[in-house]
Amino acid sequence: MQEAWTERLRRHAWWWFPAAGAVVIILYVLVTAPVRHLFAPVLAACCTAAIVVGVRLHRPRPARSWYLFAVGMGLFTVADAVFGEFQFAGTLVPFPSVADVLYLAAYPCFAAGLVSLMAAWGSVRWGAVLDAGIITLGMSTLAWAFMVMPYLRGHLSALPLAVSLAYPLADLLLLGVAAKLVLVAGVRLPALGLFVLWVGATLAADALYYSTLAATGAPIASDVSYILWMASYPLLSAGALHPSMAATTRLVPRSQERLSPARMTVLTLPALLGPALLMTDVGGVREQPVHAVAIVGIVAASTVLLVVRIMLLARFAEAQADQARARARTAEDALRRQISLQQQLTHQTFHDALTGLANRTQFFERLEHALTRSSTVQNTALLLIDLDHFKHINDSLGHPAGDELLITVGHRLLGSARRDDTIARMGGDEFAVLAEDLAETPAEAYGQRFLDRFKEPFALSGHRSVFVTASIGVLAVTEPTTANDALRNADIALYAAKERGRNRAELFEAAMSLAQQSHARIAQDLRYALPRSELTVHYQPVIHLPTGHVTSVEALLRWQRGGRSPIPPEVFVPVAEETGLIRPIGTWVLREACRRGRHWHDTLAKAGTLSVAVNVSGRQLTDPHFPDTVRQVLHDTGFPPASLVLEITESTLVTDADTTAAHIRALRDLGVRISIDDFGTGYSSLAYLRDLPADIVKIDQSFVLKGSSDASQSLIQAILQIGHALDLDVIAEGIETPLQAQRLHALGCPHGQGFYYSPPMAPQALEAYLTTQASSHPPPHTAVRGRRPHRARRLER
């Protein structure tokens, strides 16, 4: 619970300060009493605290940059408090005062924090230093014309004059360092974007306040300056609390060598400010030689930086030219190598580069030749061999070891074949064998001969030995056929070998082709099932075992194809998974179930707390838009999130675990409950329940069907204890007999479902069932309702 609260704070706390700051600023505008002058120190204090909290939450490494910002903001807090106290008391603020000392002391802290932040990124980028200098010098001309000149022409004594001039110098320092930060890193992170807005608001407020103060002796539109200062505090707070703040010390600086047109414009305009001020004679500067010389000096310094920047660009261009010449030499060498390689390609066109075996092209030609020889076609066998779980070898030992294994397998296949047989690597980890003139040797026995060669381990370099099995599809050619048809049939047999458990050889039979054709027809018809309204949702009640009341229903998909007999879910659901149709179909089931649930809540007297469970496939759960889809369905149907249960299987949890975990948390944040289906069937159930908190576990029906055995009862008791320890609800699936129901009730299982209570029903039948049960229901565990279910594993839909 504490971790969830901390994570929620880490993700969402950053926008609290802009929202609260906006409220404070609005109150500042509306309130005219002197107390409003205390709003600024309160905001500054909150900002200081927010920076410290942000460092503790996100832990940037190193953290000294942000602590320097906190020190600077702490100085601002005290300065604002001193300044606000004078204004609250209605007395004249002395100048200079302690507040001025604190304000000016804060700017070096901010600049040092920025420098420390950029130091964490690595080497100095001189291009960015020069660019920031050009921008700062350009803005210095404005500061001189609108602040320094008026102050120097005034009648201030030495100390007030020095303090007055220190403010624009502090702003220029902050501007220069901030400009370098933006030029080096940009605003790729939200935290940096908020940080830049803070600097901009601060500089804008200072420029308005001090320029008008210097020109007229009193600030003009001072409330606007105060609002900008106060707005800067929530911006810095939001940047410190934003989760991306942790990455601000780990950025990789962008290349600074090339100058884009936008960047050239940014550098050119500040450099033109000085000449523009002289040409327009702002403030009569041309009549004041000292100030004119100062502006000319700033322009000259800016020009020097521009020249140095151009020199850097020239050096970069030379380096690029050297690289281009090196690439040209490399291209020439590559051309010579290509000519040499072309000579080798003639050989490699018909051979696999890794194993030296025949490749697909040569194998196909020899197969075509063999199938055109009518005298030997009856004695020809075609084998397709695929290594089982070869990806595990690459993942665990590395691709070099995988390549070495493929070479070793190729050599062993050659040792198993006859002299005239063709052995080929078809690609990846798939091999093929063409055997002609087998005479009396059955094709299936010939395939088994190759399968037996995988019983011994394969020796790899480094004194390593690995075991790997293979699945083999065998085609005994019994009549003239084409090479494409022969390969297709062998591939069908290979697929059957994998489906039947791998590490086996399967001989092609005509029924396999028929099964594949049926699979293809189902896939084709399933694409039109939704538009043709052939899909329906039935609902099976979940019973509270102690009372016999219905507490929830599970939505189950059914398909009545084109007026023909229904297609069993165990037939069409796997097809939907393979083709990806499970996503639109799953969304339709979710929407239909929520719509029905809303209807039952509104129309049935005792259905106000009825929950609806909807099964979710692995493809749905890993869809990046799935949480948004659930949110939209709940909004459109008005179904309460707490009444929706999404069921996922244990096997789904181990598929793309990171995405699955993120989506489960997002769904739980919506208020939707999560149920783990088929619990206890072999995965790390307890670990996943701990890391991905669920609300419900469903005991797999295999334990219920075998509940009379001591082992099954022990497993059921263990699952019930886990559920109790983790505060989870438990439902037993597949209850078929009174004895099973009584045994589960005696073990303390709170809920159950199965054909003993009711088969899945159409919505209208379920409404009648719920109405009848609400008026009078029999005691639990007294009679079997409905027919016995099929013993096969219940499908997810």
Side-chain angles (χ1 to χ4, degrees):
M1 188 68 180
Q2 181 66 26
E3 293 180 358
W5 184 89
T6 303
E7 181 61 25
R8 192 175 298 111
L9 177 64
R10 190 191 306 272
R11 284 191 314 229
H12 302 297
W14 69 272
W15 58 265
W16 296 349
F17 276 87
V23 173
V24 173
I25 292 171
I26 292 172
L27 290 176
Y28 176 84
V29 174
L30 297 178
V31 173
T32 58
V35 72
R36 71 175 187 157
H37 296 296
L38 300 180
F39 291 180
V42 171
L43 276 179
C46 292
C47 179
T48 305
I51 296 173
V52 176
V53 171
V55 172
R56 298 296 301 274
L57 276 179
H58 306 301
R59 301 189 180 278
R61 292 292 181 269
R64 60 176 177 270
S65 305
W66 289 95
Y67 281 128
L68 285 169
F69 299 147
V71 171
M73 192 50 62
L75 294 172
F76 262 29
T77 302
V78 180
D80 282 346
V82 172
F83 193 80
E85 183 179 359
F86 281 109
Q87 292 182 313
F88 179 73
T91 60
L92 183 66
V93 181
F95 181 79
S97 67
V98 175
D100 294 298
V101 175
L102 295 172
Y103 281 133
L104 292 173
Y107 284 92
C109 294
F110 294 142
L114 290 171
V115 172
S116 175
L117 186 65
M118 289 182 283
W121 300 342
S123 60
V124 176
R125 299 296 177 116
W126 290 109
V129 172
L130 292 172
D131 294 346
I134 293 169
I135 294 172
T136 304
L137 286 174
M139 301 307 294
S140 298
T141 58
L142 293 179
W144 191 279
F146 294 102
M147 295 184 195
V148 176
M149 280 175 52
Y151 279 133
L152 293 178
R153 287 186 308 204
H155 302 286
L156 295 175
S157 58
L159 181 59
L161 178 61
V163 173
S164 299
L165 294 177
Y167 277 106
L169 291 177
D171 284 336
L172 290 173
L173 173 65
L174 184 60
L175 170 64
V177 182
K180 182 176 182 294
L181 179 142
V182 174
L183 293 171
V184 170
V187 287
R188 288 174 284 173
L189 300 175
L192 283 181
L194 292 165
F195 193 87
V196 170
L197 290 175
W198 163 66
V199 174
T202 301
L203 295 180
D206 286 357
L208 176 62
Y209 187 89
Y210 295 113
S211 64
T212 57
L213 178 63
T216 65
I220 299 175
S222 59
D223 279 349
V224 176
S225 298
Y226 295 150
I227 289 172
L228 287 173
W229 277 320
M230 288 193 292
S232 69
Y233 300 155
L235 291 172
L236 180 57
S237 304
L241 291 172
H242 196 280
S244 64
M245 177 266 228
T248 55
T249 58
R250 302 192 301 270
L251 282 178
V252 176
R254 302 180 302 183
S255 173
Q256 303 297 322
E257 301 301 338
R258 293 186 176 87
L259 290 180
S260 64
R263 188 158 179 168
M264 284 295 297
T265 302
V266 171
L267 295 179
T268 304
L269 290 179
L272 296 177
L273 289 175
L277 291 174
L278 293 173
M279 291 176 62
T280 56
D281 194 23
V282 172
V285 65
R286 287 188 297 188
E287 298 176 1
Q288 304 174 62
V290 174
H291 298 298
V293 169
I295 293 178
V296 170
I298 295 172
V299 172
S302 178
T303 303
V304 171
L305 293 185
L306 278 171
V307 171
V308 175
R309 188 67 170 96
I310 293 172
M311 292 173 61
L312 283 180
L313 285 175
R315 290 178 56 186
F316 173 73
E318 291 177 2
Q320 291 292 95
D322 291 339
Q323 292 178 8
R325 286 189 291 270
R327 286 195 295 268
R329 288 192 296 269
T330 302
E332 292 176 0
D333 295 339
L335 181 59
R336 285 193 293 269
R337 289 195 299 270
Q338 182 179 2
I339 295 173
S340 176
L341 289 174
Q342 284 177 345
Q343 298 172 356
Q344 304 175 26
L345 286 178
T346 303
H347 172 78
Q348 294 181 357
T349 299
F350 296 102
H351 291 82
D352 177 56
L354 178 64
T355 62
L357 301 174
N359 62 11
R360 177 183 290 273
T361 301
Q362 185 179 19
F363 187 83
F364 192 83
E365 289 184 359
R366 292 192 179 181
L367 179 60
E368 280 188 320
H369 181 264
L371 295 178
T372 57
R373 295 171 58 200
S374 58
S375 59
T376 61
V377 71
Q378 295 288 336
N379 298 320
T380 298
L382 171 62
L383 279 61
L384 288 184
I385 305 172
D386 190 81
L387 304 186
D388 296 331
H389 305 299
F390 177 72
K391 184 178 182 296
H392 294 173
I393 301 295
N394 280 335
D395 292 344
S396 59
L397 301 181
H399 287 275
D403 291 344
E404 186 180 358
L405 176 61
L406 292 174
I407 295 171
T408 307
V409 169
H411 291 168
R412 190 172 291 187
L413 294 178
L414 282 172
S416 305
R418 303 174 307 166
R419 177 180 300 177
D420 295 331
D421 292 347
T422 300
I423 312 296
R425 180 182 175 219
M426 304 296 280
D429 59 331
E430 185 176 311
F431 296 84
V433 179
L434 175 63
E436 302 179 63
D437 302 319
L438 275 179
E440 300 300 324
T441 304
E444 190 172 10
Y446 189 66
Q448 187 63 41
R449 169 179 172 177
F450 285 88
L451 186 66
D452 291 341
R453 296 306 302 270
F454 286 86
K455 293 181 179 179
E456 298 295 326
F458 291 86
L460 304 180
S461 60
H463 306 289
R464 290 180 298 184
S465 295
V466 297
F467 284 91
V468 65
T469 60
S471 300
I472 303 178
V474 182
L475 173 66
V477 181
T478 58
E479 58 185 21
T481 185
T482 65
N484 284 324
D485 289 344
L487 286 171
R488 181 200 63 205
N489 292 339
D491 193 59
I492 291 173
L494 174 62
Y495 180 80
K498 288 184 174 293
E499 285 288 301
R500 295 172 185 176
R502 305 177 187 269
N503 191 22
R504 59 191 298 134
E506 289 292 337
L507 181 66
F508 173 78
E509 298 174 354
M512 294 179 181
S513 180
L514 294 176
Q516 188 185 56
Q517 294 173 12
S518 174
H519 181 283
R521 284 195 299 270
I522 290 174
Q524 183 67 20
D525 291 346
L526 192 57
R527 296 183 184 277
Y528 300 99
L530 270 178
R532 293 172 179 170
S533 301
E534 296 176 352
L535 298 177
T536 57
V537 180
H538 285 198
Y539 302 88
Q540 186 175 38
V542 176
I543 307 299
H544 184 237
L545 298 183
T547 64
H549 287 120
V550 177
T551 59
S552 62
V553 295
E554 180 179 3
L556 299 167
L557 182 62
R558 297 294 182 262
W559 181 22
Q560 183 78 33
R561 182 172 59 168
R564 289 173 279 180
S565 58
I567 307 298
E570 61 266 26
V571 173
F572 73 81
V573 169
V575 177
E577 293 274 4
E578 292 175 14
T579 59
L581 292 172
I582 199 66
R583 288 180 177 174
I585 291 176
T587 300
W588 177 84
V589 172
L590 177 65
R591 185 175 296 276
E592 181 67 14
C594 290
R595 186 181 65 83
R596 286 287 182 184
R598 177 75 264 180
H599 171 71
W600 292 329
H601 282 194
D602 293 339
T603 59
L604 298 180
K606 294 188 177 181
T609 59
L610 187 72
S611 299
V612 178
V614 179
N615 292 279
V616 176
S617 74
R619 279 181 176 263
Q620 288 178 273
L621 194 58
T622 55
D623 182 353
H625 304 295
F626 183 65
D628 292 332
T629 299
V630 174
R631 183 186 295 106
Q632 188 63 44
V633 168
L634 291 172
H635 177 268
D636 294 345
T637 60
F639 193 56
S643 297
L644 176 61
V645 179
L646 296 181
E647 294 192 5
I648 59 177
T649 62
E650 286 191 79
S651 59
T652 301
L653 294 175
V654 299
T655 304
D656 195 356
D658 292 340
T659 302
T660 299
H663 287 183
I664 288 178
R665 292 190 180 97
L667 292 168
R668 286 173 61 90
D669 288 343
L670 291 176
V672 174
R673 291 184 290 165
I674 302 297
S675 173
I676 308 300
D677 203 1
D678 301 338
F679 188 76
T681 53
Y683 294 93
S684 303
S685 309
L686 184 56
Y688 280 108
L689 284 180
R690 180 193 63 212
D691 298 335
L692 296 176
D695 302 281
I696 302 168
V697 293
K698 302 188 77 171
I699 301 175
D700 187 70
Q701 65 174 349
S702 60
F703 301 125
V704 175
L705 296 177
K706 300 176 182 178
S708 58
S709 68
D710 292 339
S712 293
Q713 286 200 23
S714 297
L715 285 170
I716 292 173
Q717 286 179 326
I719 294 173
L720 290 171
Q721 290 172 358
I722 290 173
H724 178 73
L726 297 178
D727 195 23
L728 303 174
D729 209 350
V730 181
I731 300 173
E733 300 180 283
I735 302 175
E736 299 182 6
T737 66
L739 181 60
Q740 293 171 355
Q742 293 167 4
R743 185 179 295 114
L744 288 166
H745 180 52
L747 290 174
C749 182
H751 297 91
Q753 70 181 102
F755 277 68
Y756 166 59
Y757 295 104
S758 171
M761 295 179 285
Q764 295 77 9
L766 179 66
E767 291 181 18
Y769 176 85
L770 293 174
T771 302
T772 302
Q773 198 211 43
S775 58
S776 62
H777 59 84
H781 326 314
T782 57
V784 177
R785 300 188 181 97
R787 59 179 179 83
R788 291 175 61 84
H790 191 274
R791 284 277 183 171
R793 177 183 177 275
R794 185 177 57 79
L795 267 285
E796 310 308 326
R797 291 278 170 266

